[in-house]
Amino acid sequence: MTHRIALGISYNGSTYHGWQSQSCGNTIQDHLEAALGQFATQPISTLCAGRTDAGVHGLMQVVHFDTAIERTPASWVRGTNAFLPSPIAVQWAQAVPDAFHARASARARRYAYLLLESPVRPSVDAGRVGWSFRPLDGDAMRQAAGRLIGEHDFTSFRASACQALSPVKQLTRIDVTRRGAYWRFDFEASAFLHHMIRNLVGALVYVGKGRYPVEWMRELLEACDRTRAAPTFSPDGLY
């Protein structure tokens, strides 16, 4: 008899090709399933709340799998981590009802983007933060972010390869804060489109640098045209 286990995964994605399993074997899913299989001594397939791109990091990505193996939650954590590379770690494990689904049961999704504002490129935190060598106007970025709150068609911020059935999403929160030389952008929504966060950050940074006015953000939403928006920002600072 099988039962369902949920895991919370964190990882530094700098050297990995994103979540989704690939033939190269160097993805978070590939390493996690290999570690689970070694610990459980049988193959285990996982499903996550949402895929991440190459270079993107995870702070608490929710995953579930079905197994007939009986282990305590603490054993799943310690045992799986024993076989994972150091940049990937299971943070918690929990038995869940069979109806639980890491993707379909999610009530909201949250992302954070960390950005270094400095005339010099990142060094010790290279690969873990985005970078702007120009000063950024926080008030302008916060005002622009406010134009994005609510339900909108986010086609202008959608990757061409996006497989979502609809570009309409409900964006419930964007916080733009600064601590020292670092900016943090926090996003919460019902769901996100492919590259949506990185494209939003790129547009907010353009406003922050003074390249476009605050109202440009509303114009982008109404245009529904990806070519009108800023380039996709680096994956390095996305969590």
Side-chain angles (χ1 to χ4, degrees):
M1 180 177 177
T2 63
H3 53 281
R4 185 157 292 184
I5 302 294
L7 306 176
I9 312 296
S10 65
Y11 51 88
N12 181 330
S14 298
T15 59
Y16 299 105
H17 295 172
W19 161 263
Q20 188 75 21
S21 181
Q22 298 181 30
S23 57
C24 67
N26 190 35
T27 70
I28 305 301
Q29 186 176 23
D30 289 323
H31 286 286
L32 176 61
E33 291 184 355
L36 285 166
Q38 286 179 278
F39 175 59
T41 66
Q42 61 181 236
I44 289 182
S45 297
T46 61
L47 191 146
C48 76
R51 291 178 291 182
T52 51
D53 296 329
V56 174
H57 316 292
L59 294 178
M60 197 57 68
Q61 191 164 11
V62 178
V63 175
H64 83 253
F65 62 89
D66 295 325
T67 181
I69 300 294
E70 295 286 349
R71 296 286 189 275
T72 65
S75 293
W76 280 113
V77 173
R78 292 195 302 269
T80 306
N81 284 343
F83 296 103
L84 282 170
S86 58
I88 308 172
V90 177
Q91 300 298 306
W92 52 263
Q94 182 177 330
V96 292
D98 290 344
F100 176 86
H101 191 281
R103 184 178 300 127
S105 299
R107 292 179 294 177
R109 292 171 172 84
R110 291 194 292 265
Y111 283 84
Y113 195 97
L114 299 184
L115 174 69
L116 172 67
E117 180 192 307
S118 170
V120 179
R121 62 172 173 78
S123 54
V124 295
D125 47 8
R128 294 184 291 143
V129 296
W131 176 44
S132 173
F133 63 87
R134 297 187 186 279
L136 300 174
D137 182 336
D139 288 337
M141 291 192 293
R142 280 184 279 271
Q143 290 178 46
R147 307 300 195 270
L148 300 166
I149 299 300
E151 185 177 83
H152 303 287
D153 183 327
F154 284 96
T155 296
S156 293
F157 304 97
R158 179 184 193 178
S160 59
C162 182
Q163 298 177 356
L165 296 178
S166 170
V168 177
K169 301 298 174 189
Q170 179 80 25
L171 194 54
T172 56
R173 181 171 70 94
I174 305 179
D175 292 332
V176 181
T177 55
R178 179 170 184 167
R179 189 168 186 174
Y182 294 88
W183 292 91
R184 175 168 171 149
F185 302 81
D186 286 283
F187 301 85
E188 182 171 338
S190 56
F192 292 93
L193 302 167
H194 189 195
H195 284 175
M196 180 173 163
I197 298 295
R198 291 165 59 189
N199 292 333
L200 289 173
V201 170
L204 290 171
V205 168
Y206 264 24
V207 171
K209 292 191 294 188
R211 185 162 178 172
Y212 290 98
V214 168
E215 286 306 317
W216 179 61
M217 202 64 70
R218 191 184 301 279
E219 294 173 13
L220 291 179
L221 286 173
E222 294 173 351
C224 294
D225 183 352
R226 177 72 194 102
T227 65
R228 298 272 297 274
T232 304
F233 218 68
S234 160
D236 296 0
L238 184 57
Y239 294 78

